Amino acid sequence: RKQFWLKLSRYSHKAHIRQFHQFCAMASSRQGRLALVVLTIGVYFLSGQVFVQTSTRAAVASRTGSSTALQAVPLANGAMSFDRVCREWRCKYSGNKADSVSLEAIAKIVDEYLPALKAISPGVKVNRLVCGGCLDFKLMTTVPLDDFGPWEEKGFAPEAEFLEKIKAIEGVSQVETQTITNMEI
């Protein structure tokens, strides 16, 4: 029995099926063989070889409902990756967040352009962020990597019109844009 367990401990997920059958033959009873099978399956589970999503493309496709998604782009020596890119439009508004006239005017412009933003891509996500402490307003439009290039080629439409309108609002300052990755983790 000691030799059996020693050999079993050396068994890895890379071993051939033939070796597995040899281990089973070493078991002296039907219960021993069953225990060995259960233990081997447990080794596979613990080693991460079962139910592991090996294809980033498949993971992206299953999450977005797409059958053809670009491979995620690695960052930080492979510690991170991204397959969604965000265009952020931001500014400072004035007044108290509860009754700010400039923030109210920004909200009306967002409502005006929201249908155009949601039409950019089937996988688009639009987020609005408002900070009452530092008076930041941000509108973040995130699209799948596949759709970012075509949107960029169009100048991130309707970005120019949107920014022109919020710059005209009294009390709005520091109007800026930024392109960043935006991944749900």
Side-chain angles (χ1 to χ4, degrees):
R1 282 191 160 185
K2 186 175 181 182
Q3 183 181 16
F4 170 77
W5 289 110
L6 181 62
K7 284 186 178 183
L8 181 61
S9 68
R10 292 182 185 154
Y11 184 78
S12 73
H13 64 277
K14 295 181 181 178
H16 297 283
I17 296 297
R18 186 174 49 83
Q19 291 172 320
F20 175 75
H21 288 290
Q22 288 173 349
F23 286 134
C24 288
M26 289 177 65
S28 60
S29 69
R30 183 177 179 165
Q31 289 176 336
R33 286 190 297 274
L34 180 60
L36 181 60
V37 169
V38 170
L39 186 59
T40 303
I41 291 170
V43 168
Y44 274 100
F45 278 107
L46 292 174
S47 68
Q49 298 303 310
V50 178
F51 303 119
V52 173
Q53 186 74 40
T54 57
S55 169
T56 304
R57 181 181 301 239
V60 171
S62 68
R63 188 172 60 244
T64 62
S66 167
S67 60
T68 58
L70 285 180
Q71 187 80 11
V73 178
L75 299 170
N77 296 315
M80 292 185 257
S81 64
F82 72 94
D83 61 6
R84 298 185 60 76
V85 183
C86 172
R87 185 66 173 178
E88 179 184 89
W89 304 338
R90 62 179 176 254
C91 65
K92 296 280 189 181
Y93 65 92
S94 59
N96 182 314
K97 67 179 182 267
D99 58 6
S100 170
V101 174
S102 59
L103 188 57
E104 180 183 3
I106 292 169
K108 289 177 182 176
I109 295 170
V110 170
D111 289 345
E112 178 184 343
Y113 284 96
L114 191 57
L117 291 172
K118 293 205 173 203
I120 292 169
S121 161
V124 70
K125 302 281 186 200
V126 181
N127 296 80
R128 181 192 64 225
L129 294 85
V130 178
C131 177
C134 60
L135 306 179
D136 280 341
F137 171 84
K138 298 179 181 187
L139 192 65
M140 301 174 70
T141 305
T142 304
V143 297
L145 188 56
D146 298 6
D147 299 331
F148 182 75
W151 186 36
E152 183 180 35
E153 289 171 4
K154 296 175 185 171
F156 303 110
E159 180 176 283
E161 295 172 28
F162 179 88
L163 297 178
E164 184 178 317
K165 285 190 176 186
I166 65 169
K167 285 178 183 177
I169 299 170
E170 187 176 334
V172 169
S173 62
Q174 297 180 23
V175 177
E176 301 171 333
T177 63
Q178 182 177 5
T179 299
I180 53 178
T181 67
N182 186 5
M183 292 295 295
E184 183 177 326
I185 56 172

